[in-house]
Amino acid sequence: MGFPLCLCLLSLIFTTAFGSGFSDDTALHENSYKEKWMASIPDDQLLSAVTIPGTHESLTLYGGPLIQCQAWTLENQLKAGLRYFDLRIEASIFHNTLDVMDGHIKHTKFHDVLNILWEFLGKHDSETVLLRVTLQGMSIWNARESIKDLIKKSKDNVWTKTLVPHMRDARRKIVFVQSTNFNVGTLNHNTFVTYDGWFKNIENKMKTITKHLKEAQNNCAHTISLTDTSATGFFIGPKTVARVVNDQLNKLLGKLKTGSDKPNCFGVISMDFPSPDLIQNIIEVN
């Protein structure tokens, strides 16, 4: 039996027993909308102390089974309650534009992404979104300076300080989170390290995620903590891994929420192909 087939069979077992944390349905039903869930978070609470569902490589909607990471458009991700987004940006060598990368294909301009986020925040003033930008390509310096120029022009609609904002200061704004090569925004404790992205088996992956969530629980009261649950392997793409990992993550969160030692926060949980049920499970930690 092939390894990807084993993963699919495991996924069916976990889904039947515990409910699915995975969805590759491009449609989002209205009963799954969670557009104002942050309204219940107190104004004086630090953003780091909010448990936030998000997506890894948020706009990698294409590229085939070995590349694609998400099924929903950015608009639908926002409607579903996702509030953390991860983008890879490249400056065009020949044009004065910033391209959001999708594998090796460019589908969206960065200024269009910002406009979608601001339009959503303008309609839902209880909400905030976190944005992590990683730069790549031949013109990283140009990309960095172009993004900084965009931020300066929109300073009232963004948070770029290194300190973690309180919810009152974050609402209606894009909160930038620093990455390895874009050091504008809030500092964060990234519990994901490079080798975590290589999928060996579900047991090792869930041990790693559990360890990271515990680290986040210890840090998120004062620092934004990011746990990335994504992974790939030999001829195993993000979707195949997410089918199993998301169901196990859904089960794990259910146990942690109802246990005697219920956590106050888990920080940001970044995923591939999350389902509405998994997103709701994460939101309910708050």
Side-chain angles (χ1 to χ4, degrees):
M1 183 182 293
F3 190 43
L5 179 58
C6 290
L7 287 179
C8 291
L9 291 175
L10 280 171
S11 176
L12 287 173
I13 294 169
F14 292 136
T15 298
T16 302
F18 308 114
S20 178
F22 170 89
S23 175
D24 61 354
D25 188 350
T26 57
L28 179 70
H29 300 292
E30 195 169 342
N31 60 5
S32 296
Y33 286 7
K34 303 173 186 67
E35 296 175 292
K36 299 180 180 179
W37 69 265
M38 287 183 157
S40 62
I41 308 297
D43 274 347
D44 61 354
Q45 186 164 324
L46 282 172
L47 182 59
S48 61
V50 183
T51 301
I52 297 173
T55 47
H56 156 257
E57 295 206 15
S58 304
L59 291 184
T60 305
L61 310 179
Y62 312 99
L66 295 180
I67 295 176
Q68 183 185 5
C69 295
Q70 308 301 331
W72 294 326
T73 63
L74 181 58
E75 291 90 342
N76 275 349
Q77 291 184 43
L78 287 161
K79 290 176 182 177
L82 294 158
R83 295 292 179 268
Y84 165 86
F85 303 101
D86 165 45
L87 303 178
R88 290 181 294 116
I89 307 293
E90 182 174 312
S92 172
I93 298 175
F94 303 106
H95 306 285
N96 188 26
T97 59
L98 293 166
D99 297 309
V100 179
M101 305 304 292
D102 171 19
H104 300 294
I105 307 167
K106 305 168 186 177
H107 284 280
T108 309
K109 302 301 180 186
F110 183 56
H111 68 268
D112 291 331
V113 171
L114 294 178
N115 287 334
I116 290 169
L117 296 176
W118 281 322
E119 181 180 0
F120 176 84
L121 294 170
K123 294 177 180 177
H124 306 91
D125 60 6
S126 62
E127 306 303 289
T128 184
V129 297
L130 288 75
L131 186 61
R132 187 172 190 259
V133 169
T134 302
L135 308 177
Q136 66 177 52
M138 301 291 291
S139 304
I140 287 179
W141 186 88
N142 288 339
R144 184 181 295 114
E145 295 309 305
S146 295
I147 294 173
K148 287 180 179 179
D149 287 343
L150 277 175
I151 289 172
K152 286 179 183 177
K153 294 175 183 176
S154 310
K155 61 182 180 179
D156 293 335
N157 299 316
V158 297
W159 179 275
T160 58
K161 298 177 183 178
T162 56
L163 296 175
V164 177
H166 290 88
M167 279 301 301
R168 69 168 65 87
D169 299 314
R171 298 191 201 276
R172 300 177 297 280
K173 293 179 181 177
I174 298 172
V175 176
F176 278 85
V177 178
Q178 292 191 21
S179 69
T180 53
N181 63 3
F182 188 69
N183 62 349
V184 173
T186 304
L187 294 169
N188 62 99
H189 175 71
N190 189 350
T191 59
F192 180 90
V193 294
T194 301
Y195 61 80
D196 291 339
W198 188 253
F199 188 85
K200 295 180 180 178
N201 57 62
I202 186 62
E203 291 80 11
N204 283 350
K205 184 62 179 176
M206 290 313 300
K207 284 180 182 178
T208 301
I209 290 174
T210 302
K211 173 177 176 287
H212 288 177
L213 290 177
K214 288 181 178 178
E215 289 178 21
Q217 185 179 349
N218 294 331
N219 289 292
C220 63
H222 49 81
T223 304
I224 290 177
S225 295
L226 169 61
T227 297
D228 193 334
T229 66
S230 64
T232 56
F234 281 120
F235 299 106
I236 302 171
K239 182 184 288 191
T240 301
V241 175
R243 286 184 188 276
V244 183
V245 168
N246 289 10
D247 290 339
Q248 287 287 70
L249 177 63
N250 209 21
K251 174 189 173 186
L252 174 64
L253 290 169
K255 284 184 175 180
L256 292 173
K257 284 192 314 179
T258 57
S260 57
D261 189 21
K262 182 180 177 180
N264 292 321
C265 56
F266 282 131
V268 176
I269 302 176
S270 177
M271 304 162 285
D272 293 332
F273 298 99
S275 71
D277 286 344
L278 177 54
I279 294 168
Q280 181 63 32
N281 220 357
I282 293 171
I283 291 172
E284 287 176 356
V285 174
N286 295 294

